[in-house]
Amino acid sequence: MTQLIAGPMATLSHEAFRRLVEKFGGPDEYYTEMINAPTLLQKGPFEKYYLMNGPVPQKIVWQLTSKEAASMAAAVEVLAPLGGIGIDINMGCSAPEIVHSGAGIAWMLKPQEETLSMVKGVKRAMEKAAPAFRLSAKIRLGAENFSEEKFYDFCKGLCDSGVERIVLHPRTQREKLSRPPRRFYAQRLAALLKPRGVEVIYNGNVKDSASASAALADCPDCAGLMISRAAVQKPWIFAQLRADGCPGAKGAAASNDCALATASGSPNGGVDLMQTGLDYIALLQEFQPKEFFKSRMQRFFSYYCDNFAFGHYIKMKMLNAATPQAAEETFRSYFDEQPSDRFKALQ
């Protein structure tokens, strides 16, 4: 059965966001935002917020990042008591500051022996501290000059080193989101690794039932779909995919219809977009430190406001809201001006 997975997003994949998504009937797994291993080990003042595992600890996958192999392995001991499904090594982030630090996709660009040594170190730490954990890696295709042979060889090396799942975003380091992802690489990789019992998850441009069905048709051997930005715009997307009968999706459509109806707050079966936005602001104040309020609000509403007829207008106003109270007042006032935008039919 196809797994539906919420992808890791910096400043978004935290407990407040998970609670918002889960009330609609969430995904099968939630990947956390990147946890910087050295900062975690140094017990930075905000690290406890990255370690929150609610509301469904059994669905959590902890994603680690670092330029240092030793700190990645040492972080496993900190994460093990928190439970969850496993550890994911971020090898796909192409943000310049991450790459220049030696983390993210930089691990795909280093000598392969060095990278696989790091992976083996994390695996050994897991066997000792969390033997039930699954080890995964989130990757891209590599640099612009990557070759298929080296790419598949790299992935085989990951599996030989203990990786049990690969999440592939089939774009290169510098390819922008405007370029269609090359799904055939995900399918080829899935077919190649399937006999070894290693899962491949497809990640890229899945935003609704039509794109999910197209991705599954192109990647029939992939074990699941990872959805990130579309889940911010539409926190109900995972339940919606199941309710729409997304091919092979886990879960029963009837139960997800119920979850949608219960959470939506709309008498006509649509989603109450105003209340959902207000719920996020409230959850943010409950599960994030005040130092994070503004950045987390800005990132969420930069996607969520795409639901509205005058999305650019309200987005700019929300980005300028300095406090949760100001954001709440601004958001409510929009629906006084545009009441027809409040309820959205599910589609």
Side-chain angles (χ1 to χ4, degrees):
M1 300 296 284
T2 301
Q3 301 169 57
L4 298 177
I5 301 161
M9 297 173 283
T11 75
L12 280 170
S13 299
H14 45 67
E15 181 160 341
F17 177 68
R18 290 195 296 270
R19 286 181 178 272
L20 185 70
V21 174
E22 190 67 20
K23 78 168 189 172
F24 287 101
D28 300 299
E29 299 182 11
Y30 291 97
Y31 278 49
T32 68
E33 58 185 314
M34 292 186 296
I35 300 171
N36 185 274
T39 308
L40 176 65
L41 297 173
Q42 293 162 12
K43 299 182 179 179
F46 299 113
E47 292 313 296
K48 65 180 180 180
Y49 296 99
Y50 290 85
L51 300 182
M52 297 176 76
N53 62 1
V56 277
Q58 68 275 16
K59 291 186 179 184
I60 295 293
V61 177
W62 305 100
Q63 188 180 76
L64 284 174
T65 184
S66 175
K67 66 178 182 180
E68 305 166 354
S71 64
M72 296 274 267
V76 172
E77 189 172 347
V78 179
L79 297 172
L82 303 176
I85 295 171
I87 301 288
D88 181 75
I89 300 174
N90 184 303
M91 296 187 189
C93 182
S94 58
E97 63 274 18
I98 299 295
V99 179
H100 293 158
S101 76
I105 199 173
W107 283 107
M108 294 188 72
L109 311 179
K110 296 176 183 181
Q112 185 167 321
E113 183 179 349
E114 179 182 352
T115 298
L116 298 185
S117 176
M118 177 273 291
V119 174
K120 291 173 184 176
V122 173
K123 183 65 175 180
R124 285 194 297 270
M126 290 171 60
E127 290 171 344
K128 181 178 179 181
F133 269 16
R134 179 190 69 208
L135 179 59
S136 62
K138 189 172 186 296
I139 67 173
R140 287 186 173 231
L141 294 173
E144 310 313 298
N145 63 347
F146 86 100
S147 70
E148 290 191 40
E149 181 181 0
K150 289 184 178 179
F151 171 71
Y152 293 126
D153 182 64
F154 177 80
C155 292
K156 290 177 182 177
L158 291 178
C159 300
D160 290 340
S161 302
V163 168
E164 302 162 81
R165 165 188 281 185
I166 292 176
V167 179
L168 177 61
H169 181 75
R171 290 186 174 98
T172 62
Q173 178 184 355
R174 293 190 173 88
E175 283 178 339
K176 305 300 182 184
L177 297 179
S178 57
R179 189 202 189 286
R182 290 178 264 186
R183 291 178 184 154
F184 57 87
Y185 282 112
Q187 170 55 24
R188 289 179 188 175
L189 183 63
L192 181 68
L193 299 182
K194 195 171 186 178
R196 303 180 61 162
V198 175
E199 295 181 332
V200 173
I201 304 297
Y202 170 76
N203 173 221
N205 286 27
V206 176
K207 56 185 178 180
D208 51 27
S209 295
S211 56
S213 296
L216 290 172
D218 287 344
C219 307
D221 287 313
C222 285
L225 302 174
M226 178 173 279
I227 302 173
S228 301
R229 291 176 303 281
V232 186
Q233 182 189 352
K234 298 178 283 189
W236 53 87
I237 190 171
F238 299 104
Q240 185 65 53
L241 289 176
R242 296 190 183 99
D244 287 348
C246 181
K250 284 184 176 180
S255 65
N256 282 281
D257 282 337
C258 180
L260 284 165
T262 301
S264 68
S266 171
N268 62 1
V271 174
D272 186 336
L273 296 178
M274 183 185 79
Q275 190 57 54
T276 300
L278 294 175
D279 286 349
Y280 178 77
I281 296 172
L283 288 165
L284 201 60
Q285 294 174 82
E286 186 174 357
F287 295 101
Q288 291 283 275
K290 65 180 185 299
E291 292 88 348
F292 288 4
F293 288 168
K294 187 173 182 179
S295 63
R296 273 53 176 168
M297 285 193 304
Q298 289 177 329
R299 190 83 191 281
F300 176 82
F301 285 102
S302 68
Y303 294 110
Y304 187 69
C305 289
D306 288 341
N307 289 300
F308 307 129
F310 298 92
H312 181 73
Y313 165 75
I314 182 59
K315 185 183 299 186
M316 290 302 102
K317 296 194 73 172
M318 294 302 288
L319 291 180
N320 288 325
T323 65
Q325 293 72 30
E328 181 176 339
E329 292 173 9
T330 298
F331 202 59
R332 287 184 183 277
S333 68
Y334 175 79
F335 295 97
D336 291 335
E337 300 171 14
Q338 301 294 332
S340 61
D341 259 2
R342 178 166 178 175
F343 297 105
K344 180 181 178 69
L346 294 172
Q347 56 185 15

